[in-house]
Amino acid sequence: MTITPPALSVFEALESEVRSYCRGWPAVFDRAQGSHMYDEDGHTYLDFFAGAGSLNYGHNNPVLKRALIDYIERDGVTHGLDMSTTAKRAFLESFQNNILRPRDLPYKVMFPGPTGTNAVEAALKLARKVKGRESIVSFTNAFHGMSLGSLAVTGNAFKRAGAGIPLVHGTPMPFDNYFDGTVEDFLWFERLLEDQGSGLNKPAAVIVETVQGEGGINVARPEWLRALSELCERQDMLLIVDDIQMGCGRTGAFLSFEEAGITPDIVTVSKSISGYGLPLALTLFKPELDIWEPGEHNGTFRGNNPAFVTAAATLDTYWADGQMEKQTLARGEQVEQGLRAICDENTGISHRGRGLVWGMEFEDKPRASAVCARAFELGLLVETSGPQSEVVKLLPALTMTADELDEGLRILARAVRETA
């Protein structure tokens, strides 16, 4: 289809230069339903972006929309700080019954604020409070958020530079397969921990993503995660898993570390926990770590009651049995087959992923951005990731149909061909 870029005068005149997604997708969007978005000129776009992973169940999911409308129409509480409300109770009960108890997870639930970086900041703060130490270990190519504490454990140089001040008390270590299998896992990390002359301050915690989304869809092996968990236990460090983008079923299981058979000390969850794209974040931690004083960490918007409503409806609808996980894994195999075919037909491309998060890496790095631009022209929304934006990143909704996935993969294949 032919798309005429709209006159964006009001956006250009009033909105900050910091805006980004709108530059790659020069359209004014008006409606969205399921896995499709519609601009004001009537063009239709298949969404392989899903709100950066915040819309795992699609746009305006009818089940969740109905629950939200009913709640608003009866004048349910919208803003509640951390007060007890019927909406919060329903969510906590649903989360306990559908997620925690079936997985034998012992976690307490903290509502730190509405965004993922709020959850990470609370996790780091709690780990330091529990252990009485400052240092946090993170990993190469990690991304944990844009506030200062989260940036200190983020690897991307461009994002770190925006802080404007030194980012301290964070130490990076090699992520899984950083040395292409030539160096034994955790050899450097463990040597530093045991060497009194290494200069490494004893860490309070280690924070890790099981799949690095913004870092380029780097997938940690289950055995690597288990070894990391064991190392943390031996060295008296807390293990924090950042599941903000990869949780809520993105990799198949509701929590992405389930496959590895580990139980992290602290887990951060956000993005799709509300199910509807409403801001909500959780910091989960083992009960013995719950040493907060009342009000010691708070925030005006940590009690987003409409998000509690849609979150509870999401869990009750999609996670009361194992069907969503099975469907996601099946859809993931479909995507993998499609990407394998694209890679077989083109040189200089590789693919990797889990569940319904996948990436295609281009040896010719700028080509990834060109593919995304051409895909947009053809009616498909995909973004790049990786330290040099060299990876085309696929995050379709978990509820996307097999036919919709095939359509998107066909468009993607065409975009790759036409940018060769």
Side-chain angles (χ1 to χ4, degrees):
M1 62 184 170
T2 301
I3 299 171
T4 302
L8 298 176
S9 57
V10 67
F11 302 108
E12 292 168 348
L14 294 182
E15 194 175 0
S16 166
E17 292 298 317
V18 78
R19 63 193 188 279
S20 60
Y21 291 114
C22 58
R23 299 180 188 275
W25 300 329
V28 177
F29 295 100
D30 179 54
R31 294 185 303 112
Q33 208 289 315
S35 288
H36 291 89
M37 298 188 73
Y38 307 89
D39 71 19
E40 63 181 357
D41 295 324
H43 299 118
T44 301
Y45 303 85
L46 184 59
D47 188 0
F48 268 32
F49 175 65
S54 296
L55 296 165
N56 282 2
Y57 313 95
H59 296 269
N60 288 302
N61 182 292
V63 175
L64 312 186
K65 180 167 66 175
R66 185 72 263 158
L68 180 60
I69 290 172
D70 288 348
Y71 184 75
I72 292 171
E73 285 185 337
R74 73 168 184 81
D75 291 331
V77 173
T78 295
H79 183 274
L81 294 163
D82 70 352
M83 292 182 284
S84 298
T85 64
T86 55
K88 182 193 284 187
R89 180 173 61 199
F91 166 70
L92 287 170
E93 290 174 347
S94 181
F95 191 67
Q96 184 177 50
N97 293 333
N98 291 308
I99 305 303
L100 298 181
R101 279 180 179 161
R103 293 160 179 80
D104 197 26
L105 294 172
Y107 298 131
K108 299 288 289 292
V109 179
M110 175 183 179
F111 301 105
T115 72
T117 199
N118 292 137
V120 170
E121 295 286 357
L124 301 179
K125 189 173 178 180
L126 180 60
R128 289 172 170 136
K129 179 178 174 66
V130 168
K131 292 300 182 183
R133 308 179 206 132
E134 297 177 357
S135 177
I136 305 290
V137 166
S138 58
F139 291 95
T140 50
N141 291 312
F143 179 80
H144 296 290
M146 296 298 284
S147 51
L148 293 180
S150 301
L151 271 180
V153 291
T154 287
N156 186 283
F158 172 73
K159 292 180 171 62
R160 288 176 63 88
I165 62 171
L167 296 171
V168 297
H169 310 304
T171 304
M173 290 290 165
F175 191 71
D176 190 14
N177 204 38
Y178 188 71
F179 294 109
D180 300 319
T182 60
V183 177
E184 181 183 342
D185 293 340
F186 306 114
L187 176 66
W188 173 245
F189 189 8
E190 196 153 18
R191 184 74 58 84
L192 290 179
L193 288 168
E194 294 174 351
D195 183 355
Q196 296 300 306
S198 70
L200 176 66
N201 293 332
K202 181 78 171 182
V206 175
I207 185 167
V208 68
E209 303 155 275
T210 65
V211 181
Q212 295 180 326
E214 298 303 312
I217 318 300
N218 304 312
V219 182
R221 293 165 296 142
E223 56 267 32
W224 187 87
L225 292 168
R226 286 192 290 271
L228 176 61
S229 178
E230 292 164 3
L231 176 61
C232 287
E233 188 171 357
R234 286 198 309 273
Q235 295 287 346
D236 187 34
M237 303 178 297
L238 297 179
L239 176 60
I240 305 170
V241 167
D242 181 343
D243 234 6
I244 288 166
Q245 189 167 81
M246 298 305 153
C248 301
R250 175 54 57 183
T251 64
F254 188 84
L255 295 164
S256 70
F257 55 81
E258 292 180 47
E259 181 189 21
I262 62 174
T263 304
D265 299 291
I266 305 175
V267 182
T268 60
V269 179
S270 186
K271 288 197 181 281
S272 274
I273 187 62
S274 80
Y276 203 74
L278 299 175
L280 182 64
L282 316 177
T283 303
L284 313 175
F285 39 82
K286 293 178 177 178
E288 61 268 24
L289 305 181
D290 192 10
I291 63 172
W292 294 112
E293 295 290 336
E296 186 177 6
H297 188 93
N298 57 25
T300 304
F301 293 100
R302 65 194 185 279
N304 188 352
N305 281 259
F308 293 151
V309 171
T310 56
T314 297
L315 298 177
D316 292 340
T317 302
Y318 294 104
W319 294 98
D321 55 30
Q323 294 309 305
M324 176 56 73
E325 180 176 351
K326 292 177 182 177
Q327 176 177 298
T328 298
L329 294 174
R331 297 281 192 271
E333 292 177 1
Q334 181 182 351
V335 173
E336 184 176 17
Q337 291 173 4
L339 295 184
R340 184 182 297 116
I342 293 172
C343 292
D344 288 344
E345 294 171 4
N346 299 269
T347 59
I349 310 176
S350 59
H351 70 282
R352 54 183 178 265
R354 275 180 61 194
L356 275 175
V357 52
W358 289 87
M360 284 197 308
E361 181 174 1
F362 289 79
E363 292 179 6
D364 177 13
K365 294 176 173 38
R367 189 177 170 196
S369 295
V371 168
C372 290
R374 182 57 181 146
F376 171 76
E377 294 172 350
L378 297 171
L380 178 70
L381 301 180
V382 285
E383 68 164 339
T384 61
S385 69
Q388 299 180 66
S389 297
E390 73 277 19
V391 176
V392 173
K393 177 182 179 183
L394 280 63
L395 284 175
L398 309 186
T399 52
M400 183 173 279
T401 68
D403 288 344
E404 289 170 334
L405 271 181
D406 278 339
E407 178 189 355
L409 291 167
R410 285 194 300 270
I411 295 173
L412 185 61
R414 179 180 170 187
V416 171
R417 286 195 304 272
E418 294 182 359
T419 55

